[in-house]
Amino acid sequence: MPNCINLSVGEPDFSPPSYALEAGFEAAREGKTHYSATNGLAELRRALSEKAYKDYGLTYDPDSEILVTAGGTEAILAALLAWLNPGDEALIPNPGFVVYEPSVLLAEGVPVHVPLLETNGFWPCPRDVTSLITKRSRVIVLNYPNNPTGAMPSYEEIATLAKIAVERDLTVISDEVYEKIVYDGSRHYCLATFPGMRERTLVVNSFSKTYAMTGLRVGYVYGPKELLSPLWLVHQYMVACVDILSQHVALAALRGSQDFVRDMVSEFDRRRRFVVERLNEITGLHCTLPKGAFYVFPNIEDFGMPSDRFAEFLAREAGVLTVPGSAFGSGGEKHIRLSYAASYKKLQEALERMEKALRKLT
Ligand SMILES: Cc1ncc(COP(=O)(O)O)c(C=O)c1O
């Protein structure tokens, strides 16, 4: 469908900062084309250790408590392969990022869905979490700012779940890859900063979203040595090490000016406000203003159509590609996900088209 406007992709429509890319070219020219240490370039781990301290006051030893991975995707799978025995239960958000459930299944674990309800700001209700914990529960996966909903919990909401994790002795995989993409002066609180959490949390992060580096595949995990070392082994046999040139790009991105991130987020913010306002002008659509990431997750319930049929309708009749909420689990059924990582002009055109097409249904 050549004339479609694609709002289905989960990646920034920006290029990485040029000074970071230049560091990659430079490394190539200097012949830095060999394996790095399995856990990542020493300089990069040192820079990541400094970042954890600067951003959150957290101390992680660069040699034993930081692992550089092939994106957050590898980090999540490595964590689950490392920490689930066959039959162990992993609590995952529903709707949730598409990688969680297959990764639990690859680790021969049992996915247990924690509902994220719109009425609760798309954050797990403590009562639901407690009722889903059994003797086989081993891990809980949390993700904020959230994909697909864009939701951001408050400090208190995170603290309540952290307390449950401590009381029920769960290991937490905290997926924080959108940490820098937050709006309205919201603050991101790293899960490991909450009482009792550093020792039980694997913080997953990535350069993909913050520096628009999705194709370069650099992510990382912070965790105490005892939690992190089995991931390191899994990682060693899956990828040996992350692409060395990409690691040089990541290092330069981290060490350079952070204006790039600020400017990108401010442009996302402009688009976010526009998209939510326009969606709410369309009869039948209801959309809350998300506080993070670059997605909106409008409610399509009024149309009385399954989300996959609704997304297909939009593709065929409006030429706009979105993702059916059901792709993120049964809990997404009454929604579609739109990414505003597309130019303002494209977004304007897409919303015009959607409004026109959806008039036929009301
Ligand atoms: C919530 C979440 N976690 C992790 C990732 C993984 O990204 P990457 O593997 O590019 O770091 C994504 C990508 O879309 C995501 O949305």
Side-chain angles (χ1 to χ4, degrees), residues 10 71-73 76 97 100 143 147 175 177-178 206 208-209 217:
T73 303
I76 293 159
F97 175 44
Y100 303 143
N143 167 223
N147 176 12
D175 180 345
V177 303
Y178 296 99
S206 174
S208 286
K209 318 289 176 176
R217 312 307 305 133

Side-chain angles (χ1 to χ4, degrees), residues 56-194:
Y56 304 114
L58 287 162
T59 311
Y60 287 104
D61 172 30
D63 291 330
S64 59
E65 299 188 314
I66 297 175
L67 178 68
V68 179
T69 57
T73 303
E74 193 225 344
I76 293 159
L77 178 58
L80 291 163
L81 286 172
W83 282 103
L84 290 180
N85 283 322
D88 280 352
E89 293 171 2
L91 281 77
I92 57 171
N94 178 10
F97 175 44
V98 293
V99 155
Y100 303 143
E101 174 148 339
S103 300
V104 171
L105 294 172
L106 278 170
E108 297 183 58
V110 179
V112 174
H113 292 167
V114 179
L116 301 190
L117 304 177
E118 191 170 15
T119 47
N120 197 49
F122 294 116
W123 182 245
C125 294
R127 217 176 323 116
D128 289 340
V129 175
T130 313
S131 71
L132 290 167
I133 296 173
T134 71
K135 281 205 288 289
R136 295 303 314 251
S137 306
R138 182 79 194 83
V139 164
I140 181 166
V141 178
L142 296 177
N143 167 223
Y144 61 94
N146 186 266
N147 176 12
T149 68
M152 275 282 280
S154 67
Y155 182 89
E156 291 70 28
E157 284 173 317
I158 304 170
T160 308
L161 286 199
K163 200 156 163 264
I164 297 174
V166 173
E167 281 164 10
R168 307 304 291 265
D169 195 22
L170 296 175
T171 296
V172 188
I173 298 173
S174 188
D175 180 345
E176 303 183 16
V177 303
Y178 296 99
E179 68 170 346
K180 298 289 181 196
I181 306 179
V182 297
Y183 311 105
D184 301 333
S186 325
R187 189 159 151 211
H188 179 80
Y189 300 102
C190 179
L191 193 70
T193 59
F194 288 77

Side-chain angles (χ1 to χ4, degrees), residues 38-56 58 60-62 64-79 172-181 188 190 192 201-211 213 216-224 228 231-232 235 239 242 246-247 249-251 253-255 258 261:
T38 302
N39 57 342
L41 268 180
E43 304 92 291
L44 179 56
R45 281 181 281 113
R46 261 199 305 277
L48 287 169
S49 176
E50 285 160 19
K51 175 194 178 299
Y53 188 73
K54 188 167 143 265
D55 286 356
Y56 304 114
L58 287 162
Y60 287 104
D61 172 30
S64 59
E65 299 188 314
I66 297 175
L67 178 68
V68 179
T69 57
T73 303
E74 193 225 344
I76 293 159
L77 178 58
V172 188
I173 298 173
S174 188
D175 180 345
E176 303 183 16
V177 303
Y178 296 99
E179 68 170 346
K180 298 289 181 196
I181 306 179
H188 179 80
C190 179
T201 304
L202 290 161
V203 181
V204 170
N205 213 324
S206 174
F207 287 81
S208 286
K209 318 289 176 176
T210 309
Y211 299 102
M213 276 175 50
L216 300 193
R217 312 307 305 133
V218 190
Y220 54 98
V221 189
Y222 294 128
L228 196 74
L231 267 74
W232 186 340
H235 167 81
V239 298
V242 171
S246 295
Q247 290 193 67
V249 176
L251 176 63
L254 209 52
R255 288 257 151 97
Q258 300 302 297
V261 186

